[in-house]
Amino acid sequence: MSAQWERILGRAPAQSVMRIDTLRELIHPHDFTAFQAALQETLSGARPFLRIEYRILAASGEWRWFRTRGAVERDDLGRLVSFAGSLIDIHEDRLAQE
């Protein structure tokens, strides 16, 4: 994980490797189901890429809005090889819209 995750989560990058159960603790309860569905659809190939906005519990204890974009790479047999994405802090933009 990147230095951005370290800054957001208040953890060293090596501690920031995410599993779905870890994400469940960090993603706002009202946003997790949609996040999980979008991720599963992307990983299964039902979606060409992931794009979703949700709140993450930051190291400060504040719920902050982020956008994740990502895509999978598959081998010639269609098997998942890797997933790469970006995390964009959109908190101020979302607050301005409310």
Side-chain angles (χ1 to χ4, degrees):
M1 297 300 236
S2 69
Q4 174 79 338
W5 270 104
E6 180 180 4
R7 182 184 63 76
I8 295 163
L9 301 176
R11 308 176 183 200
Q15 296 174 311
S16 297
V17 174
M18 292 289 118
R19 295 171 29 130
I20 200 72
D21 56 334
T22 305
L23 285 171
R24 183 180 295 278
E25 298 170 12
L26 297 173
I27 295 176
H28 194 283
H30 293 129
D31 302 334
F32 185 76
T33 301
F35 174 86
Q36 186 176 26
L39 180 61
Q40 277 304 113
E41 289 172 7
T42 305
L43 294 176
S44 73
R47 284 180 177 224
F49 59 88
L50 176 68
R51 183 174 189 259
I52 189 164
E53 296 178 0
Y54 55 97
R55 290 163 286 184
I56 294 176
L57 184 61
S60 66
E62 172 186 25
W63 290 107
R64 294 189 57 86
W65 281 100
F66 291 89
R67 177 182 299 130
T68 292
R69 293 182 178 173
V72 297
E73 179 185 350
R74 298 186 184 279
D75 65 15
D76 293 339
L77 299 174
R79 295 178 298 204
L80 181 68
V81 174
S82 66
F83 179 85
S86 62
L87 179 71
I88 303 161
D89 186 338
I90 61 166
H91 190 72
E92 299 304 322
D93 292 341
R94 286 296 296 247
L95 292 180
Q97 293 173 7
E98 293 178 0

